[in-house]
Amino acid sequence: MKRFSSQMNRIGCAAVCVSLSLALGCGCAVLPPASSKPASSASVPTDSSGKPLYDASRLDDGQLRALYGYDRAGSSTAILCGSKVLYQSARSENVTLLQDVVTGETNYWFRSWSDPTGRGGRRSALYDKDGTEVLAFDGEQSATLQNGLLVLQESRLIDGGYVPESGYGTCQVIDLATGAALPVPEGAYSCTLCGDKLVFSCYARPEGLDDYDWDTDYRQNSWVVVQEKDGTPVYRAEAASAYRLFYDSDTLSDWVKLDVATGEETTDQILYNTQTGEQYTGFLQVYPGGLASFSTSDGRYELRDMTTEDRGLIAAFDEQPSQYFPGYVVTWHRGEDHGYDLYDLETGAKTPLYDVDATDSTIAVYALDGSLRVYSKDNGKLLTETTVEPVEHQQRVRMSNCGSGYVWLKLQDNDRYETTATRLYGPQGLVSDLTALQGKYSYVNYLTTDPDGRPMFYGSRAAAGSAYGNVCDVLDENGNVVLSGLGSCYSYYANSLNHLPDHVFVAQRGFYYGWMDTDGNWLFCQSIFSSINSDDELGY
């Protein structure tokens, strides 16, 4: 079988869309059943007395979640809807949740698995919150969901190599409301929905190029097509690729980023409006509220409001903007003792910063003058203002914004770059000094909050008899041990697809792994051996 470089996996290949096989009554051919083992619930594990190990009632919110397997070498994934286990995957499968990147809803999950009758030995399928198969597909597919449109990209990997056969269409777009396949231009390998337009990145591998050779001109052999849903083209950019605006896609839903090649090693980054045709070069990033930053020809940076008719200039800077919240901008730069500056947009005051850390709702800044502040990202309101006592020869800081005005600081000196003080600050100032924990734990990190909203941490320490040489203790704000000897623990990001109820984190205790609350109760758990499946011999 012909194979060529894995570079093609990143940039796609010339493709003609494969005809769809849908499990909806839409007139398309129907595939055989997606799997010989349908999605099904798992039994609740019990202790030696027969008592259930977990109480999943706090998960009864109808939300899809995925618990990825404990065995990282070959993870098995459990898919849940609320407290109901829909599916437990085999190690050879890929299972993911699908969040609609436009609406924010997560109503589907996607699965691909080994099947010798499938193209390249793989098949894929889409499932709903009941575990019911909605659509089935040939081949190994990756999927995104964009305002009800399912966008698929087929893997080029077959038998360990990438095949350049022309019969492989790498991009499909399906309207889930009707099951209809939308027109896709030749060569398309990715699609982004912008407003009511579809933006495709396309590529054609040059004829005569040896299968083992890199396409050194792949940028020149790529192009972007913008078209209506009925297939009518409205714009084309040569030597270009398109990318979604992830950080503010709702406010700037009509805009897309274009990377246009200007030479062998250089590109222009353009912010393009699919409705008006406007183009702004030097694009860097977007911010909440419809703002965007750009580099200028004289080496400076501009921040503009792209929601106004004139795309009005808010301010210009000598350094690159990295964060924005109402009334303030944080800029980033290289080559000095500090890497950030805080600009007050009203007064123009500039404050050098050691560090900055943002959550979904707050942003914490620690200045070289010792001031520590936490602001609301929604309205710019000051939540915490205190002064940090530095350590001797203090040079840099590791900071973790715990939310609700709490900040955890690791202060480091400039001789050894080792942490010499660990402290927790809150709206009332210094909450606790956790420096003494450094001798006991190899590291201490923020975990979650307790039911009163106060931060909790976890520390990793060496322990005799532990399978991995370390165990974790859960600590309160003063460093007191709340839960001891967990095999591992960590938290999900608040905006992740796996967003957990308040005061819940991921843990491993004994031979079980799952979601635990701050009182040590399991909300859901499964054996760490559940990732060892009969479809391979890689278990322990």
Side-chain angles (χ1 to χ4, degrees), residues 405-483:
Y406 289 93
V407 178
W408 179 50
L409 289 179
K410 287 183 177 181
L411 309 179
Q412 299 177 319
D413 65 39
N414 61 359
D415 293 327
R416 296 170 297 169
Y417 286 99
E418 294 180 355
T419 300
T420 53
T422 302
R423 303 175 190 150
L424 176 65
Y425 293 84
Q428 68 273 43
L430 178 65
V431 176
S432 58
D433 191 325
L434 306 177
T435 305
L437 297 177
Q438 294 175 186
K440 182 178 181 180
Y441 297 102
S442 57
Y443 61 85
V444 177
N445 286 321
Y446 172 72
L447 180 62
T448 185
T449 59
D450 67 14
D452 295 324
R454 305 183 74 84
M456 301 183 72
F457 304 88
Y458 68 95
S460 176
R461 58 180 172 84
S466 170
Y468 295 98
N470 288 279
V471 295
C472 292
D473 294 339
V474 177
L475 313 170
D476 67 13
E477 61 181 24
N478 295 309
N480 300 313
V481 177
V482 176
L483 298 171

Side-chain angles (χ1 to χ4, degrees), residues 143 149 236 419 429:
L149 297 182
R236 181 180 175 111
T419 300

Side-chain angles (χ1 to χ4, degrees), residues 321-396:
S322 65
Q323 297 277 352
Y324 166 83
F325 56 102
Y328 299 89
V329 170
V330 176
T331 61
W332 171 87
H333 54 86
R334 297 176 183 269
E336 296 186 29
D337 292 339
H338 63 287
Y340 302 93
D341 290 301
L342 176 67
Y343 282 85
D344 186 319
L345 294 178
E346 182 176 348
T347 66
K350 174 182 174 181
T351 303
L353 304 176
Y354 276 118
D355 204 358
V356 58
D357 191 31
T359 66
D360 287 345
S361 58
T362 65
I363 182 167
V365 296
Y366 177 38
L368 267 61
D369 63 11
S371 61
L372 175 65
R373 299 186 181 96
V374 180
Y375 297 89
S376 166
K377 292 175 68 175
D378 295 330
N379 53 29
K381 181 181 178 180
L382 186 62
L383 304 177
T384 295
E385 184 175 18
T386 187
T387 300
V388 174
E389 181 182 350
V391 299
E392 186 177 3
H393 305 302
Q394 181 172 308
Q395 177 68 17
R396 63 180 183 177

Side-chain angles (χ1 to χ4, degrees), residues 62 105 221 424 533:
E105 297 177 341
N221 297 320
L424 176 65
N533 295 280

Side-chain angles (χ1 to χ4, degrees), residues 22-44:
L22 307 181
L24 296 176
C26 56
C28 298
V30 178
L31 279 177
S35 172
S36 60
K37 44 182 181 181
S40 60
S41 298
S43 59
V44 178

